Amino acid sequence: MAKVFLVEDDERLSQLTAEFLRNQQLDVVQFADGTDLLQQVRKQQPDIILLDVMLPGEDGFMLCRSLRQSFNGPILFLTARDTNYDQVLGLELGADDYVIKPVEPRVLLARIHALLRRVKPTGSPQPASKLKFGSLRIDSASRQVMLGEEPIQLTSHEFDLLWMLAENASQLVDREQIYRDLIGREYDGLDRSADVRISRLRKKLRDNQQNPQRIKTIWGKGFFFVADAWD
């Protein structure tokens, strides 16, 4: 049973959401704010965190930034804040998805399950698979990334995106494939989620943000992982 941390200060909405998810065989722990959230995350390591933005005290954006120091699992923003700026900010701070309230419960459940499948795939265990490009080493079994002697901390979405790009090194990976296989929706021509995650990957992997050499953008098409750019 997957453990869900639900951070929502609206008591009625929190209870309704928690009851629905529990009826779907999810183990839900509720929080009204971030007061003891970080401590509990370090103790229990939930499978996924649902996080509101508008919370008393430290808001959800700042909590997300703090959570990423000790939690690499999926974070889903569930909030009424619906501007493009808020959505991009949430993704840049390390969230894996951004869902705007009100949301139909079945849609929310589907988004949760999609995130959980990416970090805990079902079926028979797969043999360990590793990729190496110069100083970059990627281990899909442990979901660890090393750049030289330094471990690189990636979110689940960032790791999946890096693995997809690296597995197709020196080949174009089109946007439609990324949205369909990793983000779980069709690309509408306007959604910038993939670009935000590519930007975060470049920053963590010490690529040049203004003139990328390791992960290139092929405008209007997709992205290109340069296999020989990691020495």
Side-chain angles (χ1 to χ4, degrees):
M1 183 181 291
K3 182 178 289 293
V4 179
F5 277 12
L6 171 63
V7 191
E8 169 62 68
D9 67 323
D10 183 321
E11 184 177 350
R12 180 174 180 275
L13 179 58
S14 177
Q15 194 59 35
L16 288 172
T17 304
E19 287 178 1
F20 171 76
L21 296 178
R22 286 170 183 141
N23 287 336
Q24 306 305 315
Q25 308 306 308
L26 294 171
D27 179 14
V28 183
V29 180
Q30 295 167 253
F31 299 84
D33 54 41
T35 303
D36 62 347
L37 174 65
L38 297 177
Q39 182 179 1
Q40 290 303 314
V41 166
R42 285 190 287 268
K43 287 181 178 179
Q44 300 187 45
Q45 282 292 304
D47 295 290
I48 187 171
I49 297 175
L50 310 185
L51 186 59
D52 191 10
V53 172
M54 295 179 288
L55 296 168
E58 191 173 24
D59 70 19
F61 290 140
M62 294 303 99
L63 279 174
C64 183
R65 185 198 297 268
S66 299
L67 284 164
R68 279 305 179 210
Q69 298 176 19
S70 59
F71 178 69
N72 290 326
I75 296 177
L76 182 152
F77 272 115
L78 179 59
T79 176
R81 295 271 288 267
D82 62 355
T83 69
N84 289 338
Y85 172 81
D86 286 326
Q87 294 182 55
V88 170
L89 178 60
L91 294 171
E92 287 182 337
L93 289 172
D96 296 285
D97 203 353
Y98 194 104
V99 176
I100 297 169
K101 297 185 290 191
V103 57
E104 204 281 322
R106 291 286 174 183
V107 173
L108 174 60
L109 182 66
R111 301 288 274 270
I112 291 171
H113 282 163
L115 290 174
L116 292 175
R117 280 197 301 272
R118 288 169 195 147
V119 295
K120 291 189 175 180
T122 57
S124 301
Q126 298 297 313
S129 184
K130 299 180 182 180
L131 297 174
K132 187 176 187 302
F133 304 89
S135 61
L136 179 69
R137 302 190 301 279
I138 313 170
D139 187 329
S140 68
S142 63
R143 298 180 70 84
Q144 292 182 340
V145 177
M146 298 289 294
L147 187 58
E149 299 303 316
E150 179 185 359
I152 304 299
Q153 299 298 321
L154 300 181
T155 68
S156 58
H157 261 295
E158 290 167 354
F159 182 90
D160 291 339
L161 179 53
L162 176 61
W163 183 264
M164 174 182 281
L165 295 171
E167 201 173 28
N168 294 279
S170 301
Q171 301 177 53
L172 175 70
V173 177
D174 62 49
R175 290 175 181 273
E176 287 75 12
Q177 181 183 356
I178 292 172
Y179 279 86
R180 182 180 61 252
D181 295 348
L182 296 187
I183 298 178
R185 55 180 178 267
E186 295 298 320
Y187 178 54
D188 63 6
L190 299 174
D191 193 328
R192 310 308 294 172
S193 301
D195 297 87
V196 170
R197 289 165 186 161
I198 289 287
S199 178
R200 291 207 311 261
L201 271 179
R202 286 177 177 145
K203 182 177 181 180
K204 291 184 177 183
L205 296 172
R206 294 177 178 71
D207 202 357
N208 187 312
Q209 295 278 45
Q210 283 68 47
N211 183 26
Q213 299 301 308
R214 293 175 164 178
I215 302 175
K216 293 181 177 288
T217 298
I218 310 301
W219 295 109
K221 296 183 178 180
F223 304 97
F224 187 92
F225 181 98
V226 183
D228 59 359
W230 300 90
D231 293 328

